[in-house]
Amino acid sequence: MSANRRHTMLAVVLAVVVGAGTPVRAQMTVFDPSNYSQTVLTAARALQQVNNQIQSLQNQATSLINEARNLASLPYSALEQLQQTIGQTQQLLTQAQRIAYDVNAIDQVFTRAYPQSYASSTSSPQLIADAQTRWQNSLAGFQDAMRVQAGVVQNLDRTRDQISNLVSSSQSATGALQAAQSGNQLIALQTNQLADLTAVMASIARAQSLESARSVASQAQAREQLERFLNYGPGYQAQTVQIFH
């Protein structure tokens, strides 16, 4: 074999060896433990951040739900019915007969029909008319008192239903606002009952005051008749009616 041929064959073998060695080195996988650990740690941290964000969103949602409950208005309201009840009682008081619940009106009526004394020149028909007026005032006062009492008694059924509904609403309240509203309405209901009681007591006191005033005026009139009898002697005849005493 010539030297040139040998050189050519050696070059071919070297080329094959080099060419075959290059792909083998490219297919090998290199494992880096430190890089793998860092990658796992980074993923774990990212997952923890996601969990924290999810928990934060859940807490915010719960807070919003609680705030919505606390701001939820009470579905039942007795205020309109309470206002109607108070209005009805007040209307009964304003319908007082003959003498209204008015300071000026009372002063005028008492000055005219309930004088502290009668002049000697007062005629007997005037005395009889004043006595009848006082009797009618007393009768109307007692009738007005009974009307107010009847109106308050009629309100008891409505009040009982309102108390039942408000207590039920208070027990089933889902938030602070509903609980506060039910409590306020219960207080308003108690205030309404106190107002009714005040109206009843005022009407009774009015009737008793009119009757007491009538009695006092009748005594004054009796004294006036006695004085006239003493002044005019047996010829004087008292012009009074028994029912007015």
Side-chain angles (χ1 to χ4, degrees), residues 72-134:
S73 179
L74 193 68
Y76 174 77
S77 176
L79 296 181
E80 183 177 357
Q81 296 179 354
L82 290 176
Q83 292 175 349
Q84 292 178 355
T85 300
I86 294 176
Q88 291 175 358
T89 302
Q90 185 177 9
Q91 185 177 7
L92 288 174
L93 293 176
T94 57
Q95 292 175 352
Q97 305 174 73
R98 300 184 69 83
I99 302 179
Y101 288 93
D102 181 83
V103 175
N104 294 329
I106 292 174
D107 290 342
Q108 293 176 2
V109 171
F110 266 74
T111 300
R112 182 178 66 255
Y114 300 83
Q116 296 181 359
S117 61
Y118 280 96
S120 58
S121 59
T122 304
S123 64
S124 296
Q126 182 63 47
L127 294 175
I128 295 176
D130 289 348
Q132 184 176 9
T133 298
R134 292 189 292 268

Side-chain angles (χ1 to χ4, degrees), residues 221-241:
Q221 183 174 338
R223 287 196 300 270
E224 177 66 23
Q225 291 178 349
L226 178 60
E227 291 177 358
R228 291 189 179 188
F229 175 78
L230 295 176
N231 292 331
Y232 294 101
Y236 173 75
Q237 294 181 357
Q239 302 292 327
T240 58
V241 181

